[in-house]
């Protein structure tokens, strides 16, 4: 997984949307719910296999979204120390995200990328990449961004998708409805690389969009196989 877009709204708000691309044989995820774990309020769709999540928010004023892979594709091992989706939940609970990332022990964990939005003092957008050996932390500009998982898309296709995203910005008003349309329809009619991806054995199974606007925070979740949509009010 996945394809992730970030859209800033003014200096304090945003829309982050994630298309989840996984094998169709993987256990079905549960729709988003509000939870309380270790004294922290969490909101996330729950992975059907390991119980973690690829995207969620917490009462620590934070959103974390996971993409499989680091900078380039890699060969997966048979076993790893822990699920990357559990790391998402762990980092949602920490008091300070920068200290949490530094303290994180990732030896024996498969490569991954995190898109982190933190709004404690000011709105921050952070890209965190674990390449299997080293951590890479980058503070991103608060401007429209798109990420595509390195396990599914090479640099040529990633650039194609950046181009689609750039064109979408020129032709559309920035709002949640329009970015959801992008995640449904962007591409060239090739389902192996379009944002709504289908490679027979795997593809896009859900789209999750989280919006923060003033004092409102909510999550829209769509199961693209059943066409069922749900909306979770977080605050």
């Amino acid at each position: 997984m996945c394809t992730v877009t970030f859209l800033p709204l003014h200096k304090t708000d945003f829309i982050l949307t994630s298309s989840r691309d996984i094998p169709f044989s993987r256990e079905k995820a549960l729709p988003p719910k509000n939870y309380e774990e270790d004294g922290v309020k969490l909101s996330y769709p729950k992975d059907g296999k390991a119980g973690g999540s690829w995207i969620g928010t917490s009462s620590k004023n934070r959103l974390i979204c996971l993409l499989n892979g680091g900078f380039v594709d890699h060969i997966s091992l048979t076993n790893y120390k822990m699920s990357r989706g559990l790391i998402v939940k762990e980092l949602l609970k920490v008091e300070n995200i920068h200290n949490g990332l530094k303290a994180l022990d990732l030896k024996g964990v498969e490569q991954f990328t995190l898109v982190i939005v933190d709004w404690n003092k000011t709105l921050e957008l952070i890209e965190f990449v674990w390449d299997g050996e080293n951590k890479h932390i980058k503070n991103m500009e608060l401007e429209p961004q798109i990420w595509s998982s390195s396990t599914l898309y090479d640099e040529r296709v990633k650039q194609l998708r950046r181009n689609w995203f750039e064109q979408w910005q020129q032709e559309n008003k920035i709002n949640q409805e329009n970015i959801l349309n992008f995640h449904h329809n962007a591409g060239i009619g090739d389902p192996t690389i379009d944002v709504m991806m289908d490679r027979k054995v795997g593809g896009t199974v859900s789209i999750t969009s989280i919006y923060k606007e003033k004092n409102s925070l909510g999550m829209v979740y769509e199961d693209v196989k059943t066409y069922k949509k749900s909306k979770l009010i977080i605050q």
Side-chain angles (χ1 to χ4, degrees):
M1 68 183 99
C2 308
T3 304
V4 177
T5 57
F6 171 83
L7 297 170
L9 305 174
H10 313 296
K11 294 182 179 179
T12 59
D13 302 326
F14 63 87
I15 304 167
L16 185 142
T17 307
S18 167
S19 296
R20 190 185 193 206
D21 306 329
I22 58 171
F24 293 139
S25 60
R26 190 180 178 99
E27 291 88 338
K28 186 178 175 63
L30 297 176
K33 286 179 59 178
N34 294 319
Y35 300 89
E36 184 163 337
E37 301 178 17
D38 300 322
V40 180
K41 293 181 180 178
L42 304 177
S43 304
Y44 61 89
K46 183 178 289 189
D47 178 65
K49 183 176 181 180
S53 187
W54 64 98
I55 187 169
T57 68
S58 76
S59 55
K60 298 296 183 180
N61 293 333
R62 187 174 304 128
L63 181 158
I64 298 180
C65 184
L66 169 74
L67 296 94
N68 287 343
F71 296 112
V72 295
D73 196 9
H74 65 280
I75 298 173
S76 294
L77 304 178
T78 304
N79 294 299
Y80 287 97
K81 181 175 68 174
M82 70 182 299
S83 164
R84 292 163 291 188
L86 296 177
I87 293 171
V88 170
K89 290 173 59 176
E90 180 179 331
L91 288 173
L92 283 171
K93 299 175 188 176
V94 299
E95 197 65 34
N96 179 283
I97 188 58
H98 295 282
N99 293 339
L101 291 171
K102 290 175 183 176
L104 200 59
D105 179 10
L106 294 175
K107 185 177 180 180
V109 175
E110 191 169 7
Q111 297 179 34
F112 65 89
T113 299
L114 296 179
V115 178
I116 302 166
V117 188
D118 192 280
W119 57 96
N120 277 284
K121 294 181 179 179
T122 60
L123 186 65
E124 290 185 89
L125 177 64
I126 304 164
E127 178 189 82
F128 176 87
V129 178
W130 168 246
D131 67 7
E133 295 184 358
N134 297 295
K135 300 175 182 178
H136 304 267
I137 303 173
K138 181 179 180 181
N139 291 311
M140 306 288 288
E141 295 292 330
L142 291 175
E143 57 189 31
Q145 308 278 358
I146 184 169
W147 292 262
S148 300
S149 174
S150 295
T151 58
L152 294 173
Y153 310 104
D154 60 21
E155 185 55 38
R156 180 189 67 84
V157 176
K158 287 182 181 180
Q159 185 57 54
L160 264 180
R161 289 158 149 252
R162 294 185 199 109
N163 295 344
W164 302 338
F165 189 51
E166 192 73 34
Q167 182 177 356
W168 174 86
Q169 292 172 62
Q170 295 171 10
E171 297 175 352
N172 292 272
K173 183 178 179 180
I174 290 180
N175 58 40
Q176 192 172 45
E177 180 182 359
N178 286 340
I179 193 61
L180 284 168
N181 285 336
F182 173 85
H183 279 256
H184 273 278
N185 300 312
I188 55 174
D190 181 348
T192 66
I193 63 172
D194 289 349
V195 175
M196 181 69 77
M197 191 262 276
D198 187 347
R199 297 183 181 175
K200 305 302 181 185
V201 297
T204 306
V205 297
S206 66
I207 301 172
T208 308
S209 186
I210 297 173
Y211 64 89
K212 178 183 178 297
E213 191 166 6
K214 296 182 180 179
N215 295 321
S216 297
L217 184 66
M219 186 181 301
V220 173
Y221 179 81
E222 179 180 353
D223 182 324
V224 302
K225 294 301 179 184
T226 63
Y227 303 102
K228 289 184 178 178
K229 293 184 179 180
S230 59
K231 186 173 182 179
L232 181 69
I233 302 300
I234 300 170
Q235 69 178 42

